[in-house]
Amino acid sequence: MTEPKLNAPGYEIPGDLEHAVSITTLDRLYNWGRRSSVWPMMFGLACCAIEMIAAQASRYDLARFGMEVMRPSPRQSDLMIVAGTVTKKMLPNIVRLYNQMPEPKYVVAMGACAAGGGPFKEGYNVVAGVDKFIPVDVYIPGCPPTPQALTAGLIKLQEKIDRQSIRNVRWYQKGADAVEIPVPVLGPDLMDPRRFAEIKQLAAQTAARQTGAPEAPAGEA
Amino acid sequence: MTTLDRTEALDLSALAPGSVTADPRPSYQGWIVHQTKLIEVATALRDQHGFDLLSSVTGVDYFPDSMEVVYHAYRTVGGPGLVFKVQLPRQDPMEVPSITPVWPGAEFQEREIWDLFGIRFAGHPDLRRILMWEGFEGHPLRKDWREPFYEEDCKPLKSRWPEGYYASAEDKTVYKDNLQFPANFDPEKAVFDGEASLYGALAKYTTVHAGLKTDHVVLNLGPQHPSTHGVFRAAVVLDGETIVGLKPVMGYLHRNHEKIGERNTFLQNMPYTDRLDYFNSMSSNWGYSLAVERLMGVQPPERAEYLRVIMAELSRIQNHLILIGMLLNDLGAYFTPALYAFEERELILDIFEAASGSRMMCNYHRFGGVARDLPDGVLEKIRGLVQERLPRKVDEFERLLTENEILVSRLRGVPVIDGEDAVRYSITGPVLRAAGVPYDVRRAQPYGIYDRFEFDVALRQHGDLYDNYLIRVDEIRQSLRILQQAVKQMPDGPIIAGKPQYQVRVPAGEAYGRIEAPKGELGYYVVSTGKPNPWRYHVRAPSFINITALEKMCVGQKIADFVAILGVIDIVLGELDR
Amino acid sequence: MYGKGILKGLSVTLKRFIDTYLDDIVWWGRRYFKPEGIAHRSSKNARGIFTVQYPEEKLPLPEEFRYVPFLVYDDAGDGGRQIRCTSCGICAKVCPPQCIWIVRTNDPKTGRPVPEPADFFIDADICMNCGFCAEYCPFDAIIMDHDYEIASYQRNVFNMQQLLKPASYYRNIRPLNYQRNEQERQAKMAAKAAKAEAAS
């Protein structure tokens, strides 16, 4: 386990008191508490979920990092590990779950599919990367990332948490605690409410282009 | 290795003279049935000729002339099967009589054909889209339907070499993303309620108690749920705690294997088969290589066949261990049996990693053999596991679980399905064998070298949840038996027939390669036109078809039993949704 | 007796609990943070605590392990790099999700292709780690890496500079493969030299 550097640099503590005394800052203490007890949400979509469960199992025990509690409910979790391919049919549920998570919340895109569409990027039902809809903190490439790779990614997340400061975090500022992402709608294709005007405009443009010759169909006999 | 033969004594044209003809295309087997006589021929096949198991129903788009619906039927007593097709001219609306009156197991498969091809089925009990959502525009597997990220009909793509400047696929589309909309579409004005048809189908369940009409609770289980089967959703109608109606909803992991499969070359499809049943990539690879090797007419060398058997049986053991662990998880024994199962699985995955390079996505099979030989020391490791550790650990597992009173009271006596219904609903695999029907593809139509090994087909009689649990332990023991023989008998020699090459020539024709995967009968229907990429690539997924009878299994049970029943059917979403 | 099954199961868990202490005692001092301890915990005799404590203890990877690919260069004497890749394009053609982009340029003087890629991109957010590129490369120029600690805070598209690694690294992670391919290359060069001599 990476030793959290609780001691603020510049203060020398005598050797025999090192396990008893620590001179630290509020930021460090706050972040140390948060990064040592991140509770992931049990959110496995596909094959990467199995490696996530294997990381939770006895060989690559995630409980050593404080992540032993895997809650299926978003209300009780801090971290959403998007493990697996994000499909258009599932996406409204993913965004809804993300909205239901209380602050502070983090997202780790585990695997090639969640990071950038993966090998299924060209599929008509696949969203090429979950970061098109929800903000991602750490990307872990691999197909699937081995449990050791996932653990390395989670350590990177812990390092990111270490760098945050109480002064700047969104949930302590004035205004809304969390940014609610509008839930996409499943129509003729996936519709993102933030892009409605753009979709309307582009659809009108394609209609104007198509009033010429109809598109030649593909296929070999 | 047996091939898919026309059953000798069976001349289907005698069943309905003039409406049934032998398929004239070279390297195609089977019969073409006119759709007016389809139900008659099917009933005769089932009742008079003993083809009681309908293995697969799928569609093929022979652009621009016709579309076909292809049926594969087998006898549960074993032997080669029968393939027959219905051909339709390719113009909307297309309609075929539904075969669900004869074989109810075709229900979901016909919905899938409607969803992806646009062929309607007259007389189908509930014809809605199944993998895509209601309201989706188009029928994706048609040859003239292009996905938004379409670049070329077949890989390799010209944009990658020699002028391969990196460009993200999003930048090449109109909507800067994987989207396409109808012309002049206005998202603000459109109203979509895709769930209306689902809840409409459920709304018919009400009860009348002494003149009082009682409403029921509609509960959605999933797609986000504590059990670890994946993103599967079941809309359940409850009367108190008893299930009155159930509609499974799937497609949350529909990753378009079949459309991507048509764009890939034959070899490029191999790593994609890993991701179907992602627990058992060694088995999923085998079914595909079986189908393509049948078309190519190649036979793997001896050592490769033994390696395939060893890897497939190890895969079966770890699958059943995980299944028992996850079933116990769902029942509430969090997380001990699962952890014990994961420990053994990790040791087996170490072997997969050493042999193929990856723990789960092994990509191990090639056409004509396997990709890599076992490195030094791995055979010793396999011996150690198979002869010493695993038998001991399975006994320990049984000591932990089998007589546990809580387990027994939760599982014993809860009926899943009985033998006759299971066959009618096209259920295959351990669920069928727990119901008393001894159908195992390794015995019914042996592939590879399975006819050389001495093993029993695990069988249980009662078909309840407890038998479904016990049969998995039986199957692990039988797999260990096969492994012990295989490890002793494996010869030295080459591991692939011919030179390894990435441009495979696959002659035109159709082939259906099926294996006994740990979850059931896994089949691959591959149609080739001689080009580098398949014309049609269909996966007969056991998880998808075993779920067809879910409503029948669960109605009348308690909601807590639903979780156990779903756990015991052993579904994996990668192959269910493809 | 009712409850016998539960007691049987509890005896199994008790035995495993006691094993965790027994195994620690038998392997005192050698069990943790030592390679032989890690090997013992991954063997058929493993009992007791099964955990391999990443990141202090890393499981040794087998040679065939494949993660994201990398390009190999040999040292060209004067400190320069001799990139093995000739931009033949086979890896780009055989890649199933088509995640490899290669730019091949022509020599302006002769008009023939330069046997070196002008640029080379791999989108690691598409790569499915299948290993086909390394399997079918005729020059052993692209190899599957063992490095799995490549998580980052942004998307991962690697260009040629990020992908190049020395042949000594290749030798370290895949000694048997390296040896076999070196032998093949020597044999090819010897055959070429023999042909040139016979011709002259």
Side-chain angles (χ1 to χ4, degrees):
Chain A
M1 216 170 335
T2 48
E3 285 300 315
K5 295 185 191 56
L6 205 50
N7 278 324
Y11 293 92
E12 289 305 315
I13 303 194
D16 48 347
L17 285 178
E18 253 175 15
H19 65 281
V21 176
S22 169
I23 300 182
T24 182
T25 65
L26 198 56
D27 264 344
R28 283 166 177 272
L29 197 59
Y30 179 68
N31 289 335
W32 174 68
R34 284 191 310 122
R35 60 106 86 190
S36 312
S37 68
V38 182
W39 286 2
M41 180 162 78
M42 208 189 263
F43 194 63
L45 295 167
C47 350
C48 281
I50 310 304
E51 293 291 53
M52 185 173 72
I53 299 172
Q56 193 73 301
S58 42
R59 201 186 218 187
Y60 306 103
D61 204 3
L62 277 186
R64 301 177 291 126
F65 298 87
M67 301 190 188
E68 75 249 347
V69 180
M70 275 205 140
R71 294 287 189 210
S73 164
R75 302 283 190 199
Q76 300 168 6
S77 53
D78 304 309
L79 169 68
M80 186 192 221
I81 305 181
V82 184
T85 319
V86 179
T87 56
K88 293 181 186 172
K89 195 167 179 178
M90 185 65 191
L91 187 76
N93 301 307
I94 297 179
V95 175
R96 206 171 271 137
L97 285 167
Y98 179 75
N99 287 339
Q100 288 174 351
M101 283 170 74
E103 289 285 355
K105 54 188 172 185
Y106 301 94
V107 177
V108 166
M110 173 185 177
C113 290
F120 300 100
K121 184 167 178 156
E122 59 196 273
Y124 48 83
N125 191 32
V126 174
V127 174
V130 76
D131 57 357
K132 295 194 178 193
F133 289 88
I134 59 181
V136 173
D137 293 299
V138 179
Y139 297 82
I140 308 180
C143 191
T146 57
Q148 303 196 97
L150 173 65
T151 318
L154 290 173
I155 292 175
K156 263 207 136 66
L157 177 72
Q158 285 185 326
E159 288 167 12
K160 185 171 192 180
I161 297 179
D162 282 338
R163 287 199 290 267
Q164 289 183 314
S165 162
I166 304 183
R167 269 177 284 226
N168 312 333
V169 288
R170 184 177 57 232
W171 52 91
Y172 286 144
Q173 310 296 327
K174 287 198 169 51
D177 271 350
V179 176
E180 183 155 320
I181 299 176
V183 178
V185 182
L186 291 175
D189 211 331
L190 185 69
M191 304 187 295
D192 185 355
R194 299 170 292 189
R195 293 185 66 196
F196 271 1
E198 191 189 334
I199 292 177
K200 184 171 166 185
Q201 186 197 26
L202 289 168
Q205 276 176 9
T206 38
R209 260 206 309 273
Q210 272 173 7
T211 43
E215 209 173 76
E220 301 102 15
Chain B
M1 217 160 52
T2 55
T3 51
L4 184 61
D5 287 327
R6 219 169 282 172
T7 335
E8 283 154 37
L10 193 57
D11 184 4
L12 280 197
S13 54
L15 288 175
S19 303
V20 179
T21 48
D23 196 333
R25 296 169 282 192
S27 296
Y28 276 63
Q29 301 99 355
W31 302 87
I32 302 186
V33 179
H34 194 266
Q35 59 165 294
T36 46
K37 295 289 184 189
L38 176 66
I39 302 289
E40 200 182 297
V41 169
T43 320
L45 283 173
R46 185 192 65 179
D47 297 330
Q48 290 156 24
H49 297 279
F51 284 98
D52 42 357
L53 183 66
L54 180 70
S55 171
S56 148
V57 182
T58 185
V60 189
D61 181 4
Y62 285 103
F63 185 87
D65 305 311
S66 64
M67 281 217 196
E68 259 180 35
V69 181
V70 183
Y71 303 84
H72 287 86
Y74 288 87
R75 296 186 169 114
T76 45
V77 296
L82 195 64
V83 54
F84 56 100
K85 305 150 196 176
V86 173
Q87 283 181 335
L88 310 158
R90 198 180 184 284
Q91 55 198 81
D92 281 313
M94 289 178 279
E95 203 175 69
V96 170
S98 168
I99 211 162
T100 44
V102 183
W103 287 297
E107 188 186 334
F108 284 7
Q109 300 175 75
E110 290 184 341
R111 276 177 68 183
E112 183 186 330
I113 300 176
W114 157 242
D115 188 359
L116 299 177
F117 285 97
I119 302 176
R120 297 200 75 92
F121 288 90
H124 191 281
D126 183 18
L127 193 65
R128 292 178 285 128
R129 283 187 184 262
I130 191 167
L131 292 175
M132 301 305 289
W133 60 89
E134 289 292 337
F136 183 74
E137 183 82 20
H139 296 286
L141 274 182
R142 290 190 175 181
K143 288 283 177 181
D144 53 352
W145 191 94
R146 284 187 187 167
E147 62 272 25
F149 275 171
Y150 171 85
E151 270 189 56
E152 284 168 45
D153 276 341
C154 172
K155 293 176 187 168
L157 303 172
K158 294 192 183 56
S159 62
R160 306 301 198 252
W161 176 87
E163 311 271 324
Y165 294 96
Y166 174 72
S168 138
E170 282 86 342
D171 294 330
K172 299 182 193 164
T173 60
V174 172
Y175 293 91
K176 297 287 174 268
D177 202 353
N178 193 4
L179 301 168
Q180 53 191 23
F181 291 98
N184 277 327
F185 175 65
D186 187 353
E188 279 146 14
K189 294 217 184 63
V191 175
F192 290 96
D193 187 9
E195 309 278 283
S197 52
L198 168 69
Y199 293 124
L202 282 172
K204 58 185 181 199
Y205 298 105
T206 54
T207 332
V208 177
H209 284 306
L212 255 174
K213 179 167 146 288
T214 318
D215 277 345
H216 299 309
V217 176
V218 175
L219 183 67
N220 270 306
L221 290 149
Q224 161 73 349
H225 49 78
S227 107
T228 41
H229 301 298
V231 281
F232 177 74
R233 173 176 163 207
V236 175
V237 182
L238 290 173
D239 174 15
E241 272 204 32
T242 317
I243 297 179
V244 172
L246 186 153
K247 288 264 174 255
V249 184
M250 47 202 95
Y252 291 99
L253 196 61
H254 179 49
R255 294 186 285 191
N256 327 131
H257 269 93
E258 302 190 351
K259 189 82 178 174
I260 296 177
E262 289 174 13
R263 304 256 182 258
N264 283 348
T265 63
F266 284 93
L267 185 65
Q268 286 175 337
N269 260 331
M270 189 62 85
Y272 281 94
T273 60
D274 285 339
R275 287 145 176 92
L276 282 166
D277 178 357
Y278 36 79
F279 282 103
N280 305 295
S281 62
M282 294 291 190
S283 299
S284 311
N285 281 352
W286 198 348
Y288 180 61
S289 50
L290 208 58
V292 178
E293 282 167 4
R294 218 162 257 178
L295 283 174
M296 287 169 73
V298 297
Q299 178 107 354
E302 282 290 298
R303 188 176 169 88
E305 292 277 25
Y306 274 93
L307 282 172
R308 285 181 172 186
V309 169
I310 291 175
M311 294 300 170
E313 293 304 319
L314 279 174
S315 195
R316 192 184 310 271
I317 292 176
Q318 60 95 29
N319 177 77
H320 286 335
L321 282 172
I322 295 290
L323 174 85
I324 298 175
M326 289 298 150
L327 173 71
L328 269 294
N329 233 17
D330 289 345
L331 290 181
Y334 181 87
F335 192 34
T336 307
L339 282 178
Y340 292 174
F342 265 96
E343 199 174 304
E344 308 314 313
R345 177 175 184 254
E346 290 288 337
L347 294 174
I348 295 179
L349 289 186
D350 277 349
I351 294 176
F352 289 170
E353 204 181 21
S356 72
S358 169
R359 287 152 49 99
M360 271 165 57
M361 306 307 178
C362 301
N363 194 14
Y364 192 53
H365 286 229
R366 300 282 181 269
F367 305 128
V370 294
R372 294 173 192 76
D373 205 342
L374 294 179
D376 290 329
V378 176
L379 192 58
E380 293 310 308
K381 257 185 154 172
I382 298 178
R383 274 206 192 99
L385 275 190
V386 158
Q387 285 163 353
E388 297 168 33
R389 188 179 170 100
L390 284 175
R392 192 169 33 103
K393 285 293 172 179
V394 173
D395 289 338
E396 185 188 272
F397 223 58
E398 278 226 272
R399 244 192 342 264
L400 178 71
L401 294 173
T402 306
E403 287 174 34
N404 188 303
E405 282 79 3
I406 306 175
L407 184 89
V408 170
S409 71
R410 283 255 359 221
L411 297 184
R412 183 175 278 164
V414 180
V416 176
I417 196 164
D418 72 34
E420 265 181 42
D421 276 336
V423 174
R424 283 173 55 231
Y425 277 91
S426 300
I427 295 184
T428 51
V431 182
L432 181 67
R433 293 194 281 277
V437 180
Y439 186 68
D440 184 330
V441 183
R442 294 175 290 174
R443 272 287 150 76
Q445 202 183 5
Y447 53 95
I449 46 170
Y450 273 109
D451 40 6
R452 290 188 210 175
F453 296 114
E454 251 187 57
F455 67 100
D456 296 325
V457 172
L459 187 68
R460 293 266 165 185
Q461 296 302 331
H462 305 286
D464 61 358
L465 286 176
Y466 194 53
D467 272 357
N468 272 286
Y469 156 76
L470 287 175
I471 201 172
R472 261 71 183 215
V473 183
D474 292 342
E475 290 207 348
I476 297 178
R477 293 232 163 82
Q478 295 307 317
S479 290
L480 283 172
R481 249 176 104 181
I482 299 179
L483 276 168
Q484 283 160 1
Q485 295 166 53
V487 164
K488 267 202 212 89
Q489 297 170 14
M490 185 161 82
D492 288 321
I495 52 162
I496 193 163
K499 275 188 67 179
Q501 44 177 298
Y502 65 95
Q503 285 166 321
V504 270
R505 291 258 142 261
V506 179
E510 65 169 12
Y512 184 60
R514 59 185 199 134
I515 60 160
E516 183 68 28
K519 295 178 156 62
E521 176 189 318
L522 175 64
Y524 287 80
Y525 179 64
V526 179
V527 175
S528 164
T529 51
K531 290 218 167 59
N533 58 321
W535 180 260
R536 175 78 171 106
Y537 163 73
H538 171 69
V539 180
R540 186 258 186 226
S543 304
F544 183 60
I545 295 173
N546 287 356
I547 285 288
T548 314
L550 188 64
E551 181 168 12
K552 187 161 172 50
M553 293 181 200
C554 293
V555 165
Q557 309 298 331
K558 300 269 191 306
I559 188 74
D561 294 327
F562 163 76
V563 177
I565 293 176
L566 188 66
V568 117
I569 297 181
D570 197 4
I571 57 168
V572 66
L573 266 293
E575 72 176 2
L576 196 151
D577 281 335
R578 271 148 298 135
Chain C
M1 179 193 85
Y2 189 80
K4 186 168 105 160
I6 298 183
L7 284 176
K8 243 183 169 181
L10 284 175
S11 76
V12 171
T13 2
L14 184 66
K15 174 178 175 297
R16 289 184 84 127
F17 176 65
I18 295 175
D19 268 343
T20 59
Y21 290 99
L22 276 183
D23 213 55
D24 274 2
I25 295 172
V26 167
W27 281 76
W28 189 261
R30 303 174 290 152
R31 194 168 200 273
Y32 299 107
F33 308 113
K34 299 265 182 334
E36 47 172 349
I38 298 177
H40 163 69
R41 277 177 280 154
S42 321
S43 72
K44 65 176 163 74
N45 300 318
R47 60 174 189 162
I49 295 186
F50 193 54
T51 312
V52 174
Q53 298 175 41
Y54 185 85
E56 288 86 14
E57 296 179 314
K58 298 193 181 158
L59 263 182
L61 297 169
E63 179 170 331
E64 294 292 330
F65 181 73
R66 33 188 170 81
Y67 219 69
V68 182
F70 70 93
L71 289 173
V72 185
Y73 68 82
D74 298 300
D75 291 305
D78 54 348
R81 293 173 169 187
Q82 177 59 41
I83 302 178
R84 287 192 190 179
C85 172
T86 61
S87 62
C88 70
I90 290 183
C91 58
K93 290 180 204 157
V94 86
C95 171
Q98 300 282 282
C99 72
I100 299 183
W101 284 259
I102 309 180
V103 184
R104 185 186 75 178
T105 47
N106 285 335
D107 191 331
K109 281 184 283 193
T110 64
R112 317 209 65 215
V114 175
E116 232 186 58
D119 218 339
F120 198 104
F121 301 96
I122 293 184
D123 190 342
D125 289 331
I126 296 181
C127 175
M128 62 202 292
N129 304 355
C130 65
F132 277 169
C133 51
E135 196 172 321
Y136 293 108
C137 174
F139 304 103
D140 222 31
I142 182 169
I143 304 290
M144 301 309 279
D145 203 350
H146 280 192
D147 184 15
Y148 50 79
E149 293 163 333
I150 51 175
S152 75
Y153 300 119
Q154 63 272 338
R155 290 224 184 165
N156 305 288
V157 180
F158 298 136
N159 60 20
M160 193 154 73
Q161 291 313 312
Q162 292 165 308
L163 286 170
L164 281 170
K165 293 197 180 169
S168 54
Y169 177 72
Y170 170 26
R171 192 182 53 234
N172 274 341
I173 60 173
R174 288 169 182 258
L176 293 175
N177 274 300
Y178 181 82
Q179 203 179 40
R180 189 180 59 225
N181 285 296
E182 274 306 293
Q183 283 171 351
E184 280 170 13
R185 289 172 91 202
Q186 303 296 340
K188 248 193 246 175
M189 289 209 294
K192 233 166 112 180
K195 232 165 75 172
E197 246 192 58
S200 69

